[in-house]
Amino acid sequence: MPFQNLSPGDVISGGTRMVRAGLEGGKIVGTYGKPALEKSANLTVQAASWAAQNPILVTCAVVGTTGVVVLAGPGLVTAPILSSVGFTTGGIQAGSAAAAAHSWIGNIAAGSAMAIGQSAGAGGSGLVVVNGAAQLGGAAMTMGSASLAWVKAKL
């Protein structure tokens, strides 16, 4: 090991050099970073002011962006939801909402919502259906928010 021959003095000396380098870096950031931080603060204030004056457009932007993310990567939304309901890769999780529904329904019919949920949770063909539904929702969010923003701009 390269650290076997280190003395306490070597460790203290190295630590001192690191602290000095950090302090020097702090001076550099203070000198050259201040203008960038001021511009960033000004931009943040301008954005917050615009958002306060245009709450509907901000909402449309957030909903539309969320819709695009869901449309592009539906698994980002569907995987956590399936897991939280109880549809996991190992089957239905004991004590979950899916387990309660399964005990209430009894035998699961092929092609039913419960069967699709089980398949999706296990990574089977049901995942195509679930992800497709999520993408459809994402597209509706994007188009709806864009339409509302367009109408708002025309009024």
Side-chain angles (χ1 to χ4, degrees):
M1 275 174 66
F3 299 114
Q4 285 178 332
N5 299 327
L6 287 178
S7 70
D10 292 335
V11 173
I12 291 170
S13 174
T16 302
R17 284 193 308 269
M18 286 175 40
V19 168
R20 285 186 185 140
L23 290 173
E24 187 63 31
K27 289 178 190 175
I28 292 170
V29 168
T31 301
Y32 298 106
K34 188 175 181 182
L37 290 173
E38 287 173 354
K39 287 181 182 178
S40 176
N42 288 338
L43 182 62
T44 302
V45 168
Q46 289 174 357
S49 174
W50 181 84
Q53 294 169 4
N54 300 289
I56 292 175
L57 293 178
V58 170
T59 303
C60 288
V62 170
V63 171
T65 302
T66 303
V68 168
V69 169
V70 172
L71 188 59
L76 295 171
V77 176
T78 59
I81 291 173
L82 287 168
S83 178
S84 68
V85 172
F87 295 116
T88 66
T89 56
I92 293 179
Q93 184 178 7
S96 66
H102 190 211
S103 69
W104 183 71
I105 293 171
N107 291 334
I108 304 300
S112 67
M114 190 73 174
I116 292 170
Q118 283 180 310
S119 174
S125 61
L127 196 54
V128 173
V129 175
V130 172
N131 282 345
Q135 286 179 311
L136 183 62
M141 290 169 65
T142 302
M143 294 304 295
S145 64
S147 299
L148 181 59
W150 181 80
V151 167
K152 172 73 173 133
K154 296 296 179 185
L155 294 179

